Amino acid sequence: MDICTPTPSAAVSPLRQRMLDDMRMRQFAEHTQEGYIRAVRKLATFLGRSPHTATAEDLRRFQLHLVDTGSGPVTINATITGLKFFFDITLGRPELMLKMTHVAVPRKLPVILSPDEVGRLIAAAPNLKHQAAMSVAYGAGLRVSEVVSLKVGDIDGERMTLRVEQGKGRKDRYAMLSPVLLERLRAWWRLGHAQGKIRHGGWLFPGLDPTDHVTARQLNRAVHLAAATAGIDKRITPHGLRHAFATHLLEQRVDIRVIQVLLGHKRLDTTTLYAAVATDLLRRVVSPLDHTCAKPADEPAPEPAPQPPAL
């Protein structure tokens, strides 16, 4: 039975339910489950029949279809990952995926704001809540999902830390909390608490409904509005403030392994990306050409006129 077509008597087909159960027993995140189901649905649409009837050649043609219709490397790889789970785990037929292959994703350097641009951007935030949230993204280097998920109890003013619960990879960690950031968070807390927006033990950055936090999309819109107000024409997102945090620390000669811990990176080579955009470091490096003794010669000086022999 088709994984993508619900039956009249149930919300989902038996095959789809089995795949959902396979993902649930592994405690996959909700967005991961949605992405995997989406991948199988794409294949079913391409085949025009249930995906469990696909052959290895069908899957090969499907990847060619993704390429020909303009799907990017990230989309292709995400689709292949979802299909691999479906065929390997749910159907128990891993051999069908042998002709599908992940593609290389071009690695692009992030756009980095200067410290002056960051200051202007945060100052131009639409309100105090968004100003505090943007200050967290830059001052502590948090991902946008980690910023919006902060709770009041995650702020530790005594130890000067921010507790990040279940960040990327479902890992808890502590982030730095600077005195300036702490003061900004306290200013927002006083205002939000007085207005009844911040509840005891609730979200630090609540949405329109205080029982839920502000969304990443809402924060992204606030950053774009602030950039327009500040006259910054660079491509900016909340994640760009995290990039700026790491780059500026590297330019301050903070050890890259410390930056790795602050960012919550699993692998050091992920953090070393910022060495390529830390332009202040490049300016400090002295070219080996400048250490050479040879100097470019001007036109050769005329030879001195011969002197008459001494008497």
Side-chain angles (χ1 to χ4, degrees):
M1 186 171 290
D2 194 342
I3 194 173
C4 303
T5 304
T7 61
S9 60
V12 295
S13 69
L15 184 58
R16 178 172 178 172
Q17 186 60 57
R18 181 176 179 84
M19 183 177 179
L20 290 171
D21 291 342
D22 288 337
M23 293 187 290
R24 184 164 55 87
M25 66 189 293
R26 290 164 176 78
Q27 296 187 339
F28 283 3
E30 182 177 350
H31 71 274
T32 301
Q33 297 188 37
E34 293 172 352
Y36 284 14
I37 292 293
R38 190 183 309 117
V40 179
R41 187 183 299 121
K42 286 181 183 179
L43 175 62
T45 301
F46 171 76
L47 294 175
R49 63 181 192 272
S50 178
H52 83 276
T53 64
T55 64
E57 185 61 25
D58 286 333
L59 293 173
R60 179 180 179 278
R61 290 191 302 107
F62 177 56
Q63 181 163 356
L64 287 172
H65 167 74
L66 294 176
V67 173
D68 293 340
T69 54
S71 296
V74 174
T75 300
I76 292 175
N77 290 342
T79 302
I80 291 175
T81 300
L83 293 178
K84 181 175 176 58
F85 181 88
F86 173 66
F87 286 102
D88 286 9
I89 306 302
T90 301
L91 293 185
R93 299 192 61 191
E95 73 279 0
L96 294 177
M97 293 293 296
L98 293 179
K99 292 188 178 181
M100 297 194 81
T101 178
H102 286 84
V103 297
V105 178
R107 191 170 189 179
K108 298 182 179 180
L109 295 178
V111 176
I112 303 298
L113 299 177
S114 68
D116 175 69
E117 288 172 328
V118 172
R120 287 161 47 204
L121 180 73
I122 295 177
N127 52 53
L128 192 59
K129 177 177 74 174
H130 290 134
Q131 184 183 76
M134 291 161 62
S135 296
V136 171
Y138 176 66
L142 267 58
R143 301 176 178 90
V144 62
S145 59
E146 296 169 344
V147 173
V148 300
S149 300
L150 285 174
K151 296 181 179 179
V152 176
D154 294 330
I155 304 172
D156 190 337
E158 293 185 3
R159 297 182 61 197
M160 297 303 288
T161 59
L162 288 172
R163 178 179 172 83
V164 179
E165 290 190 354
Q166 296 297 284
K168 189 173 182 179
R170 293 187 176 184
K171 294 180 179 179
D172 293 348
R173 78 175 194 279
Y174 286 99
M176 63 183 294
L177 176 62
S178 72
V180 172
L181 178 56
L182 177 60
E183 188 52 44
R184 290 185 181 182
L185 292 178
R186 282 174 172 169
W188 157 239
W189 181 88
R190 287 191 292 266
L191 177 63
H193 187 69
Q195 294 176 342
K197 297 179 179 179
I198 299 180
R199 299 182 176 181
H200 179 72
W203 303 109
L204 181 59
F205 303 115
L208 295 178
D209 181 355
T211 61
D212 201 2
H213 59 68
V214 66
T215 66
R217 181 174 296 181
Q218 290 169 334
L219 184 55
N220 190 54
R221 285 200 296 263
V223 169
H224 288 165
L225 179 60
T229 303
I232 302 173
D233 59 1
K234 293 181 178 178
R235 187 178 70 254
I236 305 173
T237 64
H239 203 74
L241 292 170
R242 173 176 161 90
H243 289 321
F245 164 84
T247 304
H248 296 165
L249 285 183
L250 193 59
E251 291 179 340
Q252 295 170 22
R253 300 189 178 183
V254 175
D255 190 283
I256 196 166
R257 293 175 182 81
V258 175
I259 299 175
Q260 177 190 4
V261 173
L262 293 175
L263 292 175
H265 283 165
K266 182 178 180 180
R267 299 170 54 182
L268 182 61
D269 60 357
T270 305
T271 315
T272 55
L273 165 70
Y274 297 105
V277 292
T279 55
D280 189 57
L281 290 181
L282 299 180
R283 290 194 296 269
R284 293 177 187 172
V285 177
V286 178
S287 169
L289 179 64
D290 295 345
H291 289 297
T292 62
C293 297
K295 301 294 182 181
D298 297 327
E299 293 185 5
E303 294 183 3
Q307 298 293 325
L311 295 176

